Amino acid sequence: MNGTWLPRSLPRTDGGAKADGSMKFFSDLFPEGCLHGKVIRSPHPRARIMSLDVVRALKVRGVECVLTAKDVPGMNAYGVFYQEAPVLCHEFVNFVGDPVALVAAETEEQAEAGAEAVEVRYEPLPAVTSMEEALKPGAPSIHPKGNVARHALLERGDTGSALARAHLVVKNTYLTQRQKHMFLEPEAGVGYYDQEGKLTLLVGGQSPYRDRLQVARSLGIPKEEIRVVSFPVGGAFGGKDDVTVQIHLALLVMKTKKPVKMVWTREESGAAGYSRHPFKIEMETGVNEDGKLVANRALLFADTGPYQSFGPAVLDVAMETINGPYFVPNYVVDAHLVRTNNGISAAFRGFGAPQANFAIEGQMNEISEKMGMDRLELRRLNIWRSGEEGNFGLRLGDCSGLSECVERASKSPLLSMRGHVVKGKPWVRRGLGVSLAVKGIGFGTLPDYPEASVEVDPGGFVKVGFSNPDYGQGLLTANLQVVAEKLGLSPEKIVVEDADSGVVPDTGSSSASRSTYTAGGALLDACDRALFALRKAAASELKANPAMLEYRSGRFYVKGRGGASIGLFDVARVMSRDGGRCRFVGSFPVPRHPSTVAGSLEIPHFIYSFAALLGEVEVDVLLGKVEVKRLMLYADVGRVLNPTLASAQCDGGMIQGVGYALMEDHIYEGGHPKTKNFSTYLVPCPTDVPTETHTEFVSSSEGTGPYGAKGVGEIPIVPVASCISDAIHDAVGVRLRELPMKPERVLEALGEPQLNLGPLDVLGDVDV
Amino acid sequence: MRLISVTVELGGPYREEHGQWHMIRLPEGSTVRDALRRVGVEEELYIVVVRNRRQSSLGEALRDGDNLVAYPPVGGG
């Protein structure tokens, strides 16, 4: 069903100010008299703090305070799941970047000088710098409960027997790397006491209400005394889902009673910021003669660093998606969240799904090769089907979008590509890759009750409030369109309020592809509540029965009574006569399965997004360089509300996926980060971006979503690495199972390329 | 003293620690806090409480037949 404002490619509400540079991010703010905060961080991956002397630092000109663990008034710990990361380290440090002390000074330079003058004496301790080391008997224990933070086991059927009887078993090990978010604005914020004495934090985060609770808990102050504002945010991708500068800022403001600004340097972000979990996945997959999957055994290890942050849930998503969108009657998923003294791994777009996808889709492609089956046909045989039993024993919901993704991909013009030789470039081979992807929307079986508000202002506009920050996704605009459609108003009459815990209701975090789904759902409820109340007031004004009123495009009409009507804002004016506000808070109990799969935290999800990806690459067999020429994504994200923004999300996700596949790698050596800056950490530049990225959204409408929407934030990144790996294989005949697939790895896999590739036909029949 | 019946669902780590579903009876006038303590949840800060599908506060008085859901705002993906 098409509406007036949905689907429609309205320009982003925040686009102009971001494009012309007039939008002030928090790192652009300089409140009058503000101090500058700096963090003194551990240079060691693991050490005991022998002494910490701040006397010299306090004498540095301009330094207002130097704070250590003893100055932390609360529980001195934070963490979304488990409160184990210290606000400031007391006795031990557990990674390079662990915070030890804080300095606030009048200028940034003075703060830096003060930080340098803090004297910390460490006794370095043996560090655990890899998962292999962490799991060795007798390894130094990072946590009193050992180095395995979480072990989870999911089982179904008799995997051993099924593998023994299988027609073909493919067994491989997949390694994925640590990826950094590399948002343009590093972790930053400003804190101060407002005129009412409220501790106010303007911080680029993903969940202002949860951040508020984390600050309150760690510092022992009532949450009502804290206000967190999380818009605008200069990029996040999951890297600002857990707290970054919030608690330190709050502590400095509390101690100095002055405004404080803190902006991490890029290097600081590289060491102390979060990363995507590196995974090691061993997988054994069996099929029968027809190509039907019969069993999958997966052994997963994820490096979470010293503190868990989102690690437990990341492991869950990897476990949930490790079988892909395929029915597998017998499986064992044995997963371990491993502590090391490397930096903290946490949330990152896809949240464990890209890692799992790299493994299962690698298996599928190898199976299709060995079975001599078409890659999409193998998938068509095994994908989830609506109404059938799923891997977790529940009847599956609507999966028709998944089938449609496969069908659309099978008709793609990319599949007509023939030959591997690029005319005029005998050293370059061309290949086509295939993969599918699945990603849950929201928090699975974890309870989720987002709220949002709609306020009809007598001044002639509607204020819309929700707390999921827009850090680039476009959800401000999409949700504005939801309200415009529901209220029949022009978008110009709708204003979206900032993600501010002091102003808007708690909608939860911007994460898990949930923001438009959840905020949109709560906004629709708020609109219903608004229209219900306004209808009653309108009926009173029009001296009619409320049931006789019809609402259209901003006016209530009395049915059958000529032109008798009253405008929405006129009703609001009447309702506000006594000074009240026409503000309505709606809620959206996110649908979920009533029970959780044993051994998991949140499995299964209630709804999923799906995708099929085709990718064309060219591999330079002399240099090992892989160029991604075209990526064609067929995606089921529910109903698309704003086609341009949804396509842009997919473009961004695919390009970030190219970085993950080919170059991005946050390297740790001996527990020390080696790639803290853009000079050493490679991200896709314009020349690395595929010549063409194209997304086709399949027809889909999620019954529980706002106007049929599901979520689009994560699915486009999930299949990219596996697809490119398959395309490389198609081009040059080698399968890479370690990310990133950088030139040296490609060359190593190729060995002597000419020997592997046969004659290089310069007269190949492929046009370029 | 009149008793009221309240259902409590715990989510996330609370579910793992104290079980998911609880049907309890409390004296009339009891609050959300009383109900949560009854099922073993002492946390008062890092918690989201939902009463009859709307976010609630710990001090709210309960009514017979209320449904509570309580969970730390952990989030997943």
Side-chain angles (χ1 to χ4, degrees), chain A residues 230-265:
Chain A
S230 301
F231 183 83
V233 187
F237 305 116
K240 296 172 182 173
D241 210 359
D242 209 336
V243 295
T244 56
V245 303
Q246 291 89 333
I247 301 172
H248 290 161
L249 262 183
L251 190 55
L252 288 171
V253 172
M254 287 166 64
K255 295 294 178 182
T256 63
K257 312 290 185 213
K258 293 181 178 176
V260 180
K261 176 177 179 174
M262 183 179 285
V263 182
W264 287 5
T265 64

Side-chain angles (χ1 to χ4, degrees), chain A residues 80-81 210 217 317 351 439 442-443 449 451 506 529 585 592 594 596 600-602 605, chain B residues 9 11-12 15-16 20-21 45-47 50 53-55 69 71 73-77:
Chain A
V80 168
F81 273 86
R210 187 175 60 215
R217 181 177 53 173
V317 170
F351 211 79
K439 174 70 185 62
F443 301 155
Y449 289 80
E451 297 191 342
D506 180 4
R529 290 169 189 275
V585 175
R592 58 197 162 98
T596 304
S600 78
L601 295 174
E602 58 168 74
H605 280 74
Chain B
E9 182 191 358
R15 185 202 73 205
E16 295 186 343
Q20 185 174 4
W21 298 101
L45 189 56
Y46 194 67
I47 186 167
V50 175
R53 301 157 67 101
R54 300 297 297 265
Q55 291 192 21
V69 185
Y71 53 99
V74 286

